[in-house]
Amino acid sequence: MNRRITAIATNTFREAVRDRVLYNLIIFALIMIGASLLLGQITIGVQRQLLINLGLTSISVFGVLIAIFIGIGLVSKEIDKRTLYTVLTRPVQRWEFILGKFFGLVLTLIVNAGFMTVGFFIALLYLMRGLQPADAYILVAIYFILLQFMIVTSLALLFSSFSTPIESAVMTFAFFVVGSFSSDLHAFAQASTGLTHYTVTVMSYLVPNFSALNVIASVAQAKPVAAGLVLMNTLYVLGYAGAAVCAASLIFHKRSMK
């Protein structure tokens, strides 16, 4: 990564911290403390599953919301403040600006998720009075959640490169919701016929496959995640997010700033 992209990414991370984004950590900490106290009254075997489901779902929801609401403003905010014009008068290519913004927000989400992961494991340690080997699978689920953040961030950047923040938020959220049911969409496409079959098939491949990135229920039941799935999901997300960022860069390159 060149120095210009690194500088934009670092500045984006600092802006996100200044916007008090990481304050959601306080809410997450309160959720974990409250859950630990409440689940302490339940049967031991069920405690672990409920805490993992609650903790990982919270990490995912908080991260996706941050990715959407910060991601949609990464371009428009710079235009409104007219700071974008100052940046582009320097030897900075527009694709470098988009890439720097993408990496800056992804870094913010990784740091945010890292703190929440620490808080989650403290709650798990307190509730179960220790950790077990199967708890290592939780780290794989969190890795998949980070991959989800990469896709959501790339989509927010893509939509914000040609639409208003509100439209970008709606489209990104719609892709996230539909993508969360992508396995059902594939099943419906196979069961349908005619024009519906072709339309749903195209949609099922267009929206991101968030279903494959959700293994929270499996790890909550101490089931391992196959190494092949980790590799396939990593390659899939790199390809999907890479294509979305490239499309955002191309659209932003053609966009008139007058």
Side-chain angles (χ1 to χ4, degrees):
M1 188 159 49
N2 66 38
R3 286 186 301 174
R4 294 185 292 273
I5 296 175
T6 303
I8 294 170
T10 305
N11 189 55
T12 302
F13 175 76
R14 288 174 180 164
E15 284 182 0
V17 174
R18 278 202 294 267
D19 284 343
R20 302 175 182 176
V21 166
L22 301 183
Y23 278 17
N24 74 91
L25 294 174
I26 298 174
I27 301 174
F28 179 77
L30 292 175
I31 291 175
M32 286 296 96
I33 292 170
S36 301
L37 295 175
L38 289 174
L39 295 177
Q41 312 300 320
I42 304 175
T43 308
I44 292 177
V46 182
Q47 288 176 342
R48 183 178 177 279
Q49 287 188 27
L50 289 177
L51 184 63
I52 291 174
N53 276 308
L54 177 64
L56 298 190
T57 302
S58 299
I59 292 173
S60 175
V61 169
F62 277 113
V64 167
L65 290 177
I66 291 172
I68 292 176
F69 289 107
I70 291 187
I72 59 172
L74 287 178
V75 175
S76 61
K77 200 173 176 182
E78 298 285 352
I79 295 176
D80 293 341
K81 290 183 176 179
R82 307 191 71 79
T83 50
L84 176 64
Y85 303 100
T86 305
V87 173
L88 294 181
T89 55
R90 298 173 180 175
V92 176
Q93 300 294 322
R94 293 192 181 190
W95 67 267
E96 292 176 324
F97 177 80
I98 292 292
L99 208 54
K101 289 292 183 184
F102 173 76
F103 284 127
L105 183 50
V106 169
L107 175 63
T108 304
L109 294 167
I110 290 174
V111 172
N112 189 57
F115 279 114
M116 286 195 284
T117 299
V118 172
F120 165 76
F121 272 103
I122 291 174
L124 185 64
L125 187 63
Y126 167 77
L127 191 66
M128 303 306 297
R129 301 291 188 267
L131 298 176
Q132 53 184 275
D135 292 334
Y137 305 143
I138 296 171
L139 295 176
V140 180
I142 292 172
Y143 172 67
F144 282 1
I145 290 172
L146 293 177
L147 293 180
Q148 289 182 28
F149 295 165
M150 287 182 64
I151 289 182
V152 175
T153 301
S154 67
L155 287 174
L157 262 176
L158 171 62
F159 294 135
S160 65
S161 66
F162 63 85
S163 62
T164 65
I166 293 178
E167 292 169 345
S168 302
V170 171
M171 287 188 282
T172 307
F173 187 71
F175 265 62
F176 174 72
V177 172
V178 177
S180 298
F181 296 97
S182 57
S183 58
D184 296 323
L185 207 58
H186 281 286
F188 179 65
Q190 291 181 351
S192 58
T193 57
L195 182 61
T196 304
H197 169 73
Y198 293 110
T199 304
V200 177
T201 300
V202 171
M203 283 181 60
S204 65
Y205 285 104
L206 189 62
V207 297
N209 186 4
F210 286 121
S211 299
L213 295 169
N214 187 350
V215 292
I216 294 176
S218 296
V219 299
Q221 297 173 9
K223 294 180 181 176
V225 180
L229 181 62
V230 176
L231 178 62
M232 290 299 294
N233 278 348
T234 302
L235 294 176
Y236 171 75
V237 171
L238 289 177
Y240 193 100
V245 172
C246 285
S249 301
L250 187 61
I251 294 170
F252 191 59
H253 178 72
K254 300 289 185 183
R255 181 172 175 174
S256 172
M257 294 298 164
K258 295 180 179 177

